[in-house]
Amino acid sequence: GNSVTQMEGPVTLSEEAFLTINCTYTATGYPSLFWYVQYPGEGLQLLLKATKADDKGSNKGFEATYRKETTSFHLEKGSVQVSDSAVYFCALSDQGTGRRALTFGSGTRLQVQP
Amino acid sequence: NAGVTQTPKFQVLKTGQSMTLQCAQDMNHNSMYWYRQDPGMGLRLIYYSASEGTTDKGEVPNGYNVSRLNKREFSLRLESAAPSQTSVYFCASSEESGLGNEQFFGPGTRLTVL
């Protein structure tokens, strides 16, 4: 079946540091890949997505590249801010399984200190 | 334009009690979903509805029932609550249930079963 594995948190960084959150996946078909962000007390919001191999998703300074050869979709940002503190979820959508929903990783909490 | 709304925001039940979680979306989306979020486990799909009049089981459907009342509303019912159902419940919707389509999430319902 499908699965998504994320690095465990929390990840604690100082403001302006470089961020990488690792995500790898297992899927039976050709998935689309997503990063969602959850701010404290809120629901999830889509951060970025990529629908095919070698696509790069980007938004708000965050980037992730769909790497089929390594089954990865690592999230990066060059300079984090305190306002980026949140929980980040990697997810996939795989039509090959017939399931019409997302499979999520366990989430990675990011804490950015001033 | 409120997006996805959920009621209630918080609920405490005793074991064996029943309740219905309400969800509504105003984006004219065809597909709606119910997830539960547990610590360290990401979000897991309980039930989904690909279109009005249809519902299907997700990964963890036991102990739950759903109703797609109309295109806007998708409710989740716990007939006899158990402590294992203590969780945060998220409703989501998307325009279509295929690949690459963004899901929009509600703010969540935090449920505690004593």
Side-chain angles (χ1 to χ4, degrees), chain B residues 14-67:
Chain B
K14 295 181 179 178
T15 297
Q17 288 184 318
S18 63
M19 79 162 294
T20 299
L21 282 65
Q22 306 286 353
C23 173
Q25 52 92 7
D26 62 2
M27 295 172 282
N28 202 36
H29 286 167
N30 286 318
S31 301
M32 298 185 74
Y33 313 82
W34 277 105
Y35 295 89
R36 58 177 289 173
Q37 183 182 27
D38 299 298
M41 299 187 73
L43 278 74
R44 292 180 293 168
L45 181 68
I46 305 171
Y47 270 93
Y48 66 95
S49 171
S51 61
E52 187 178 355
T54 68
T55 61
D56 286 286
K57 294 179 180 179
E59 185 182 353
V60 288
N62 291 344
Y64 305 95
N65 286 300
V66 291
S67 295

Coordinates of all heavy atoms in Angstrom, one line a residue, chain B residues 14-67:
Chain B
K14 N -19.0 11.0 27.2 CA -18.7 9.8 28.0 C -18.8 8.6 27.1 O -19.5 8.6 26.1 CB -19.8 9.7 29.1 CG -19.7 10.9 30.1 CD -20.7 10.7 31.2 CE -20.6 11.9 32.2 NZ -21.6 11.8 33.3
T15 N -18.1 7.5 27.5 CA -18.2 6.3 26.7 C -19.6 5.8 26.5 O -20.4 5.8 27.5 CB -17.4 5.2 27.5 OG1 -16.0 5.6 27.6 CG2 -17.5 3.9 26.8
G16 N -19.9 5.5 25.3 CA -21.3 5.0 25.0 C -22.2 6.1 24.5 O -23.3 5.8 23.9
Q17 N -21.9 7.4 24.6 CA -22.7 8.4 24.1 C -22.6 8.5 22.6 O -21.6 8.1 22.0 CB -22.4 9.8 24.8 CG -22.8 9.9 26.2 CD -22.6 11.2 26.8 OE1 -21.5 11.8 26.6 NE2 -23.5 11.7 27.6
S18 N -23.5 9.2 22.0 CA -23.5 9.4 20.5 C -23.4 10.9 20.2 O -23.8 11.7 21.0 CB -24.7 8.8 19.9 OG -25.9 9.4 20.3
M19 N -22.9 11.2 19.1 CA -22.9 12.5 18.6 C -22.6 12.6 17.1 O -22.1 11.6 16.5 CB -21.8 13.4 19.3 CG -20.4 13.2 18.8 SD -19.3 14.6 19.3 CE -20.0 15.9 18.5
T20 N -22.9 13.7 16.5 CA -22.7 14.0 15.1 C -21.9 15.2 14.9 O -22.2 16.2 15.5 CB -24.1 14.1 14.3 OG1 -24.8 13.0 14.5 CG2 -23.8 14.4 12.9
L21 N -20.8 15.0 14.1 CA -20.0 16.2 13.7 C -20.4 16.7 12.4 O -20.6 15.9 11.5 CB -18.5 15.7 13.6 CG -17.7 15.6 14.9 CD1 -18.2 14.4 15.8 CD2 -16.2 15.3 14.6
Q22 N -20.6 18.0 12.3 CA -21.1 18.6 11.1 C -20.0 19.3 10.3 O -19.1 19.8 10.9 CB -22.2 19.7 11.5 CG -23.3 19.2 12.4 CD -24.3 18.3 11.7 OE1 -24.3 18.1 10.5 NE2 -25.2 17.7 12.4
C23 N -20.2 19.2 9.0 CA -19.2 19.8 8.1 C -20.0 20.4 6.9 O -20.9 19.7 6.4 CB -18.2 18.8 7.6 SG -17.1 19.4 6.3
A24 N -19.6 21.6 6.5 CA -20.2 22.2 5.4 C -19.2 23.0 4.6 O -18.3 23.6 5.2 CB -21.4 23.2 5.8
Q25 N -19.3 23.0 3.2 CA -18.4 23.8 2.4 C -19.3 24.6 1.4 O -20.3 24.2 0.9 CB -17.4 22.8 1.7 CG -18.1 21.7 0.9 CD -18.4 21.9 -0.5 OE1 -18.0 23.0 -1.1 NE2 -19.0 21.0 -1.2
D26 N -18.7 25.8 1.1 CA -19.4 26.7 0.2 C -18.7 26.9 -1.1 O -18.9 28.0 -1.7 CB -19.7 28.0 1.0 CG -18.4 28.7 1.4 OD1 -17.3 28.3 1.0 OD2 -18.6 29.8 2.0
M27 N -17.8 26.0 -1.5 CA -17.0 26.1 -2.7 C -17.6 25.3 -3.8 O -16.9 25.2 -4.9 CB -15.6 25.7 -2.4 CG -14.9 26.6 -1.3 SD -13.3 26.1 -0.8 CE -13.8 24.8 0.4
N28 N -18.7 24.7 -3.7 CA -19.4 23.9 -4.7 C -18.5 22.7 -5.1 O -18.5 22.3 -6.3 CB -19.7 24.7 -6.0 CG -20.8 24.1 -6.8 OD1 -21.7 23.5 -6.3 ND2 -20.6 24.2 -8.1
H29 N -17.8 22.2 -4.1 CA -16.9 21.0 -4.4 C -17.7 19.7 -4.5 O -18.7 19.5 -3.7 CB -15.9 20.9 -3.3 CG -14.8 21.9 -3.4 ND1 -13.9 22.1 -2.4 CD2 -14.5 22.7 -4.4 CE1 -13.0 23.1 -2.8 NE2 -13.4 23.5 -4.0
N30 N -17.3 18.8 -5.3 CA -18.0 17.5 -5.4 C -17.6 16.6 -4.3 O -18.4 15.8 -3.8 CB -17.7 16.9 -6.8 CG -18.4 17.5 -7.9 OD1 -19.6 17.8 -7.8 ND2 -17.7 17.7 -9.0
S31 N -16.3 16.6 -3.9 CA -15.8 15.5 -3.0 C -15.6 16.1 -1.6 O -15.1 17.2 -1.5 CB -14.4 15.0 -3.6 OG -14.6 14.5 -4.8
M32 N -15.9 15.3 -0.6 CA -15.7 15.6 0.8 C -15.1 14.4 1.5 O -15.3 13.3 1.1 CB -17.0 16.1 1.4 CG -17.6 17.4 0.7 SD -19.0 18.0 1.5 CE -18.3 18.8 3.0
Y33 N -14.4 14.8 2.6 CA -13.6 13.7 3.3 C -13.7 14.0 4.8 O -13.8 15.1 5.3 CB -12.1 13.8 2.9 CG -11.9 13.9 1.5 CD1 -12.0 15.1 0.8 CD2 -11.5 12.8 0.7 CE1 -11.7 15.2 -0.6 CE2 -11.3 12.9 -0.6 CZ -11.4 14.1 -1.3 OH -11.2 14.2 -2.6
W34 N -13.6 12.9 5.6 CA -13.4 13.0 7.0 C -12.1 12.3 7.4 O -11.9 11.1 7.0 CB -14.5 12.4 7.8 CG -15.7 13.3 8.0 CD1 -16.9 13.2 7.4 CD2 -15.8 14.3 8.9 NE1 -17.7 14.2 7.8 CE2 -17.1 14.9 8.8 CE3 -14.9 14.9 9.9 CZ2 -17.5 16.0 9.5 CZ3 -15.4 16.0 10.6 CH2 -16.6 16.5 10.4
Y35 N -11.2 13.0 8.1 CA -10.0 12.5 8.6 C -9.9 12.6 10.2 O -10.6 13.4 10.7 CB -8.8 13.3 8.1 CG -8.5 13.2 6.6 CD1 -9.1 14.2 5.8 CD2 -7.6 12.3 6.1 CE1 -8.8 14.1 4.4 CE2 -7.4 12.3 4.7 CZ -8.0 13.2 3.9 OH -7.7 13.2 2.6
R36 N -9.1 11.7 10.8 CA -8.8 11.9 12.2 C -7.3 12.1 12.3 O -6.5 11.5 11.5 CB -9.3 10.8 13.0 CG -8.8 9.4 12.7 CD -9.3 8.4 13.7 NE -8.7 8.5 15.0 CZ -9.1 7.8 16.1 NH1 -10.1 7.0 16.0 NH2 -8.5 8.0 17.3
Q37 N -6.9 13.0 13.3 CA -5.5 13.2 13.5 C -5.1 12.8 14.9 O -5.7 13.3 15.9 CB -5.2 14.7 13.3 CG -3.7 15.1 13.4 CD -3.5 16.6 13.3 OE1 -4.3 17.4 13.5 NE2 -2.3 16.9 12.8
D38 N -4.2 11.9 15.0 CA -3.7 11.4 16.3 C -2.2 11.7 16.4 O -1.5 11.7 15.4 CB -4.0 9.9 16.4 CG -5.4 9.6 16.3 OD1 -6.2 10.1 17.2 OD2 -5.8 8.9 15.4
P39 N -1.7 12.0 17.6 CA -0.3 12.4 17.8 C 0.6 11.3 17.1 O 0.5 10.1 17.3 CB -0.2 12.4 19.3 CG -1.5 12.7 19.8 CD -2.5 12.0 18.9
G40 N 1.6 11.8 16.3 CA 2.6 11.0 15.7 C 2.1 10.1 14.6 O 2.8 9.3 14.1
M41 N 0.8 10.3 14.2 CA 0.3 9.4 13.1 C -0.2 10.2 11.9 O -0.8 9.6 11.0 CB -0.8 8.6 13.7 CG -0.4 7.7 14.8 SD -1.6 6.5 15.3 CE -1.6 5.4 14.0
G42 N 0.0 11.5 11.9 CA -0.6 12.2 10.7 C -2.1 12.1 10.7 O -2.7 11.9 11.7
L43 N -2.7 12.3 9.5 CA -4.1 12.2 9.3 C -4.4 10.9 8.6 O -3.8 10.5 7.7 CB -4.6 13.4 8.4 CG -4.8 14.7 9.1 CD1 -3.5 15.4 9.4 CD2 -5.7 15.6 8.3
R44 N -5.5 10.3 9.1 CA -6.0 9.1 8.5 C -7.4 9.2 8.1 O -8.2 9.8 8.8 CB -5.9 7.9 9.5 CG -4.4 7.5 9.9 CD -4.4 6.4 10.9 NE -4.9 6.8 12.2 CZ -5.2 5.9 13.1 NH1 -5.0 4.6 13.0 NH2 -5.6 6.4 14.3
L45 N -7.7 8.7 6.9 CA -9.0 8.8 6.3 C -10.0 7.9 6.9 O -9.8 6.7 7.0 CB -8.9 8.6 4.8 CG -10.2 8.7 4.0 CD1 -10.6 10.2 3.9 CD2 -10.0 8.2 2.6
I46 N -11.2 8.5 7.3 CA -12.3 7.7 7.9 C -13.3 7.3 6.8 O -13.5 6.1 6.6 CB -13.0 8.5 9.0 CG1 -12.0 9.0 10.1 CG2 -14.0 7.6 9.7 CD1 -12.6 10.0 11.1
Y47 N -13.8 8.3 6.2 CA -14.8 8.1 5.1 C -14.6 9.2 4.1 O -14.1 10.3 4.4 CB -16.2 8.1 5.6 CG -16.8 6.8 6.1 CD1 -16.8 6.5 7.4 CD2 -17.5 6.0 5.2 CE1 -17.3 5.3 7.8 CE2 -18.1 4.8 5.6 CZ -18.0 4.4 6.9 OH -18.5 3.3 7.3
Y48 N -15.0 9.0 2.9 CA -15.1 10.0 1.9 C -16.3 9.9 1.0 O -17.0 8.8 1.0 CB -13.8 10.0 1.0 CG -13.6 8.9 0.1 CD1 -14.0 8.9 -1.2 CD2 -13.0 7.7 0.6 CE1 -13.8 7.8 -2.0 CE2 -12.8 6.6 -0.2 CZ -13.2 6.7 -1.5 OH -13.0 5.6 -2.3
S49 N -16.6 11.0 0.4 CA -17.7 11.0 -0.5 C -17.3 11.7 -1.8 O -16.9 12.9 -1.9 CB -18.9 11.9 0.1 OG -19.9 12.1 -0.9
A50 N -17.2 10.9 -2.9 CA -16.7 11.4 -4.2 C -17.7 12.4 -4.8 O -17.3 13.3 -5.6 CB -16.3 10.3 -5.1
S51 N -18.9 12.2 -4.5 CA -20.0 13.0 -5.1 C -21.2 12.9 -4.3 O -21.4 12.0 -3.4 CB -20.3 12.7 -6.6 OG -20.7 11.4 -6.7
E52 N -22.2 13.8 -4.5 CA -23.4 13.8 -3.7 C -24.1 12.4 -3.9 O -24.2 11.9 -5.0 CB -24.3 14.9 -4.2 CG -25.6 15.1 -3.4 CD -26.4 16.3 -3.9 OE1 -25.9 17.0 -4.8 OE2 -27.5 16.4 -3.4
G53 N -24.5 11.8 -2.8 CA -25.2 10.5 -2.9 C -24.3 9.3 -2.8 O -24.8 8.2 -2.8
T54 N -23.0 9.5 -2.7 CA -22.1 8.4 -2.6 C -21.2 8.6 -1.4 O -20.7 9.7 -1.1 CB -21.2 8.2 -3.9 OG1 -20.3 9.3 -3.9 CG2 -22.0 8.1 -5.1
T55 N -20.9 7.5 -0.7 CA -19.9 7.5 0.4 C -19.1 6.2 0.3 O -19.6 5.1 -0.1 CB -20.6 7.6 1.8 OG1 -21.4 6.5 2.0 CG2 -21.3 8.9 1.9
D56 N -17.9 6.2 0.8 CA -17.0 5.0 0.8 C -16.1 5.0 2.0 O -15.8 6.1 2.5 CB -16.1 5.0 -0.5 CG -16.9 4.6 -1.7 OD1 -17.3 3.4 -1.9 OD2 -17.2 5.5 -2.5
K57 N -15.8 3.8 2.4 CA -14.9 3.7 3.6 C -13.5 4.1 3.3 O -13.0 3.8 2.2 CB -15.0 2.3 4.1 CG -16.3 1.9 4.7 CD -16.3 0.4 5.1 CE -17.7 0.0 5.7 NZ -17.7 -1.4 6.1
G58 N -12.8 4.6 4.3 CA -11.4 4.9 4.2 C -10.6 3.9 4.9 O -10.9 2.8 5.0
E59 N -9.5 4.4 5.6 CA -8.6 3.5 6.2 C -9.1 3.1 7.6 O -8.8 1.9 8.0 CB -7.3 4.3 6.4 CG -6.1 3.6 7.0 CD -4.9 4.5 7.1 OE1 -4.9 5.6 6.7 OE2 -3.9 4.0 7.7
V60 N -9.8 3.9 8.3 CA -10.2 3.6 9.7 C -11.7 3.9 9.9 O -12.1 4.8 10.7 CB -9.4 4.4 10.7 CG1 -8.0 3.9 10.8 CG2 -9.4 5.9 10.4
P61 N -12.6 3.2 9.2 CA -14.1 3.5 9.3 C -14.8 2.9 10.5 O -15.9 3.3 10.8 CB -14.6 2.9 8.0 CG -13.7 1.7 7.8 CD -12.3 2.1 8.3
N62 N -14.2 1.9 11.2 CA -15.0 1.2 12.3 C -15.4 2.2 13.4 O -14.6 2.9 13.9 CB -14.1 0.1 12.8 CG -13.9 -1.0 11.8 OD1 -14.6 -1.1 10.8 ND2 -12.9 -1.9 12.1
G63 N -16.7 2.1 13.8 CA -17.2 3.0 14.8 C -17.8 4.3 14.3 O -18.3 5.1 15.2
Y64 N -17.8 4.5 13.0 CA -18.3 5.7 12.4 C -19.3 5.4 11.4 O -19.2 4.4 10.7 CB -17.1 6.5 11.8 CG -16.0 6.8 12.8 CD1 -14.9 6.0 12.8 CD2 -16.0 7.9 13.6 CE1 -13.8 6.3 13.6 CE2 -14.9 8.2 14.4 CZ -13.8 7.4 14.4 OH -12.8 7.7 15.3
N65 N -20.2 6.4 11.2 CA -21.1 6.4 10.0 C -21.1 7.8 9.4 O -20.8 8.8 10.2 CB -22.5 6.0 10.4 CG -22.6 4.5 10.6 OD1 -22.3 3.7 9.7 ND2 -23.0 4.1 11.8
V66 N -21.4 8.0 8.2 CA -21.4 9.3 7.5 C -22.7 9.4 6.7 O -23.4 8.4 6.3 CB -20.2 9.5 6.6 CG1 -18.9 9.6 7.4 CG2 -20.1 8.4 5.5
S67 N -23.0 10.7 6.5 CA -24.1 11.0 5.6 C -23.8 12.2 4.7 O -23.3 13.2 5.3 CB -25.4 11.4 6.4 OG -25.8 10.3 7.2

